[in-house]
């Protein structure tokens, strides 16, 4: 089984309800994932997004670049129950806006500049496939859609639920 980075855009009202009732939030996440599976909207319009197995690699790159927001794990705990591999966290609309603005100004080439694949192996970055410089490109196809997803959420004033499933 693989570990996947999961994101769910929520309104401020939905975030308030999720904080009071995390089970409701889990049900909402499943409902949106199921509905979206039938027709994939563009990332900027989607309510759900996944970085699949690239979450840890993206997190390594973003942390290395001193990214101001933890877009891989979230920043505030939503619940104590596991939603897969640990409890979900969230970003407020203000943190989503900061993340979206910073992602928009960041290129994937900037993130990987100067990284040696051996650093990823040493840091035990999941899924441990870092045997060549070409492996650094593994998450490049998801970085732009992730940026678009955050920009769409920010433009709508949405918060974000984040978990590893």
């Amino acid at each position: 089984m693989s570990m996947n980075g999961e994101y769910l855009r929520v309104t401020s009202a939905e975030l308030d309800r999720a904080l009071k009732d995390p089970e409701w939030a889990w049900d909402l996440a499943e409902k949106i994932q199921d509905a979206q599976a039938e027709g994939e909207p563009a990332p900027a319009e989607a309510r759900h997004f996944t970085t699949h197995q690239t979450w840890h690699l993206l997190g390594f790159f973003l942390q290395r670049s001193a990214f101001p927001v933890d877009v891989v794990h979230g920043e505030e705990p939503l619940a104590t129950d596991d939603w897969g591999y640990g409890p979900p966290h969230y970003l407020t609309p203000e943190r989503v806006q900061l993340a979206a603005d910073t992602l928009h100004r960041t290129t994937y080439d900037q993130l990987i500049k100067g990284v040696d694949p051996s650093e990823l192996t040493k840091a035990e970055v999941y899924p441990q496939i870092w045997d060549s410089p070409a492996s650094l490109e593994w998450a490049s196809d998801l970085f732009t859609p992730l940026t678009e997803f955050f920009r769409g959420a920010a433009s709508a004033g949405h918060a974000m639920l984040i978990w590893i499933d």
Side-chain angles (χ1 to χ4, degrees):
M1 185 136 97
S2 63
M3 299 169 72
N4 299 293
E6 305 291 345
Y7 299 82
L8 185 72
R9 287 171 49 169
V10 293
T11 65
S12 293
E14 288 170 333
L15 177 59
D16 289 343
R17 184 168 178 191
L19 289 167
K20 293 174 188 146
D21 187 358
E23 278 188 43
W24 172 86
W26 174 249
D27 291 341
L28 176 67
E30 286 186 321
K31 178 182 168 187
I32 290 172
Q33 285 175 306
D34 290 346
Q36 199 168 293
E38 294 177 17
E40 286 294 318
E45 286 86 39
R47 295 267 329 255
H48 171 259
F49 185 79
T50 183
T51 54
H52 302 287
Q53 294 180 43
T54 67
W55 63 272
H56 203 194
L57 178 63
L58 289 168
F60 178 88
F61 291 151
L62 293 167
Q63 184 176 27
R64 183 178 173 275
S65 71
F67 201 80
V69 179
D70 187 347
V71 300
V72 172
H73 298 98
E75 296 180 335
E76 302 293 331
L78 177 74
T80 56
D81 293 339
D82 284 354
W83 279 23
Y85 294 93
H89 287 73
Y90 69 93
L91 299 173
T92 64
E94 296 78 21
R95 299 299 284 169
V96 169
Q97 183 68 59
L98 177 60
D101 292 345
T102 309
L103 284 167
H104 183 65
R105 292 189 309 270
T106 305
T107 67
Y108 193 78
D109 287 341
Q110 289 171 318
L111 291 178
I112 66 172
K113 185 176 182 176
V115 176
D116 186 285
S118 65
E119 293 176 65
L120 303 172
T121 301
K122 184 178 178 184
E124 298 181 355
V125 173
Y126 175 82
Q128 307 266 339
I129 58 168
W130 320 115
D131 55 358
S132 74
S135 62
L136 298 176
E137 296 292 333
W138 190 50
S140 65
D141 289 346
L142 284 168
F143 185 72
T144 297
L146 178 66
T147 300
E148 293 169 1
F149 182 74
F150 267 85
R151 290 190 77 200
S155 69
H158 286 169
M160 190 88 60
L161 306 185
I162 302 171
W163 69 101
I164 306 300
D165 186 21

